[in-house]
Amino acid sequence: MQHETTDFTINDAYSAYAKLRTRRSCRSFTDKPIDDALLKEIIKTGLSAPTGGNLQPFSIIVVKDPAKKAVLAEVCGQGFIAKAAVNLVFVMDWHRLRTYTRAKKAPFVANRVLNHNIIAYADIMCAAQLIESAATLAGIGVCMIGNIMGSGERVGSLLNLPMETYPILMLSLGYPANVTDKRAPKLPSDVLVFEEEYPTFDEETLLAAYDKKYSGMTAPLPQDETKRAETLAALKESYLTSYSKKETEEILEEIEAAGVMNEMQRRFGIHYGAAGMLKKQEAFFSDMAKRNIIFGPMAEGKELK
């Protein structure tokens, strides 16, 4: 794809910034395909992202096949993935570097070291975000999918992933079917960006900022007695991870009397249920270990397969 060379002015930059500030996650796509040349330019832009030590420990699988998109939608539990023009699966990839280091007779433990894996995750996020920005500037809608993690074996089989690779993130891309200015509220910059050092916040300031962000967001308890009991039981399990039994009972009595949960109670008690997330963490480590990516206490005494 050829482009005319022009000087990029500060006004051009401000125009691009304004466009990027309108971005929102897109979960509804038209049937219009993305031009192959444009898609290559968007991905090429993402590959210029920063990467720790210039290791580039990731790969991107471009998925357009309808059957594979359907499987990815099922795995992630989000039907719109099958409707996207293309899905980009970002894979943490130590297979490539391990192969090269062995050929060069160099030691290699990156797939067993927390520091390496955290940096690799950051590298993936840098590339994914740059791709999302490039796609947004081209008028293409994007949704980041994080819950592809935990499905290493199934996604690995679907995409023919070798050992020492693991799916971390997916971007679903396509032209938006519904264009709207509505965006999820964000925290104000004065509680996110600080000059020189972290400030000492008073609780009132923080509560006001979060209350404004989540204003009016509540979730009623189910009216059906069985579902209501199940919800309260799930809440109790989550609360016991963070509160005493007495405190848990008191809070649950308040919720039951009010008949509604506030957004934090719903989000961390049910949606991201605290108890379930702790269990999921162990399952996640086990899932990664099956692909020979093992770090933390699990890595002690482990030999490379």
Side-chain angles (χ1 to χ4, degrees), residues 159-208:
L159 303 181
N160 193 37
L161 301 180
M163 294 293 285
E164 287 89 42
T165 65
Y166 194 83
I168 294 292
L169 178 74
M170 184 166 67
L171 295 185
S172 294
L173 286 76
Y175 288 97
N178 300 309
V179 179
T180 176
D181 293 331
K182 186 178 180 181
R183 300 177 69 247
K186 305 293 184 182
L187 289 171
S189 61
D190 58 1
V191 296
L192 291 171
V193 182
F194 317 121
E195 295 290 339
E196 307 297 346
E197 63 183 26
Y198 197 97
T200 301
F201 278 118
D202 60 90
E203 187 176 275
E204 185 179 350
T205 299
L206 289 178
L207 288 176

Side-chain angles (χ1 to χ4, degrees), residues 32 218 220 234 240 286 295:
K32 180 181 177 181
T218 59
L240 288 173
S286 177
F295 49 86

Side-chain angles (χ1 to χ4, degrees), residues 23-41:
R23 67 142 304 277
R24 59 185 296 276
S25 296
C26 180
R27 296 179 175 85
S28 180
F29 304 104
T30 69
D31 294 330
K32 180 181 177 181
I34 299 173
D35 179 75
D36 285 341
L38 174 59
L39 180 60
K40 287 180 181 179
E41 286 293 306

Side-chain angles (χ1 to χ4, degrees), residues 224-245:
D224 178 83
E225 289 187 10
T226 300
K227 292 182 178 179
R228 189 185 186 94
E230 290 174 351
T231 299
L232 289 170
L235 280 171
K236 182 176 182 178
E237 187 179 17
S238 289
Y239 268 101
L240 288 173
T241 66
S242 310
Y243 295 85
S244 69
K245 185 176 180 180

